[in-house]
């Protein structure tokens, strides 16, 4: 499997893009340039012949992001749904969502929110209109997966006239 192509931010939220291909492009497709201004992007070309057997480079990308505690989303061509679900399951601490590009069966439970972007030709992820749809799906998933603070108690008067709060719980729910 070819080495991933890293582009975009040095730090911050990340996208791991899985595309079926025997080789990676020299540069990120032009339509992805606006997305690269908001995210770290790891473009991973996954060979279609037995893709699950050759995931070491994709796992290396996610291990690097996990070491940095980087909030990540996986974007995958639907031909790589099984691969995407496998890597999402291996990295539940950092992966917040999965965006599948193209039609196909819905995956089984992944532990994260799965969004689908329909595409006439999901093999060509360089179409500006398709990239806009992918970016919108990623942004929606990122917003939905944000941390929520919830008060789980009530204020009660204390013995000295002070107000004591009940429990405060930080709920880092995944959307």
């Amino acid at each position: 499997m070819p080495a991933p192509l890293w582009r975009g931010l040095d730090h911050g939220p990340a996208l791991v893009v899985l595309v079926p291909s025997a080789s990676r492009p020299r540069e990120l497709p032009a339509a992805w340039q606006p997305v690269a201004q908001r995210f770290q992007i790891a473009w991973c070309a996954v060979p279609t012949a037995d893709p699950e057997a050759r995931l070491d480079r994709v796992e290396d990308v996610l291990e690097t992001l996990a070491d940095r505690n980087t909030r990540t989303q996986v974007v995958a061509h639907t031909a790589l749904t099984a691969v995407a679900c496998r890597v999402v399951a291996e990295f539940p601490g950092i992966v917040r969502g999965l965006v599948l590009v193209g039609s196909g069966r819905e995956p089984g439970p992944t532990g994260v929110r799965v969004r689908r972007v329909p595409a006439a030709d999901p093999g060509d992820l360089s179409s500006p209109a398709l990239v806009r749809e992918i970016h919108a799906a990623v942004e929606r998933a990122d917003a939905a997966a944000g941390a929520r603070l919830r008060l789980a108690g009530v204020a009660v008067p204390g013995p000295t006239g002070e107000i004591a709060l009940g429990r405060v719980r930080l709920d880092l729910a995944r959307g």
Side-chain angles (χ1 to χ4, degrees):
M1 187 167 123
L5 173 69
W6 285 90
R7 292 295 183 265
L9 302 177
D10 290 333
H11 300 285
L15 298 180
V16 176
V17 181
L18 306 177
V19 294
S21 178
S23 64
R24 73 168 169 92
R26 287 180 177 226
E27 267 312 312
L28 194 63
W32 285 84
Q33 295 304 323
V35 181
Q37 294 175 10
R38 168 101 168 75
F39 295 92
Q40 298 177 64
I41 298 175
W43 190 276
C44 302
V46 179
T48 53
D50 200 12
E52 288 193 60
R54 304 185 50 146
L55 286 179
D56 53 333
R57 299 251 174 137
V58 175
E59 290 166 338
D60 288 347
V61 165
L62 286 159
E63 285 171 6
T64 298
L65 294 169
D67 289 345
R68 297 179 191 164
N69 198 26
T70 301
R71 144 179 124 235
T72 304
Q73 291 193 53
V74 174
V75 176
H77 181 286
T78 54
L80 299 171
T81 298
V83 170
C85 290
R86 182 173 149 195
V87 297
V88 164
E90 287 181 38
F91 295 90
I94 62 162
V95 177
R96 292 180 145 197
L98 171 60
V99 176
L100 295 173
V101 181
S103 61
R105 274 190 346 217
E106 288 301 314
T110 63
V112 298
R113 182 99 186 242
V114 177
R115 296 183 187 277
R116 186 171 299 274
V117 173
D121 180 11
D124 180 18
L125 293 185
S126 62
S127 157
L130 182 57
V131 173
R132 279 192 299 274
E133 290 295 318
I134 292 168
H135 188 206
V138 164
E139 291 290 345
R140 284 190 305 270
D142 210 29
R148 293 186 291 265
L149 178 64
R150 186 171 63 210
L151 292 176
V154 293
V156 294
T160 61
E162 302 160 352
I163 303 254
L165 286 178
R167 290 189 331 238
V168 174
R169 190 171 97 210
L170 183 61
D171 182 14
L172 297 174
R174 295 170 80 149

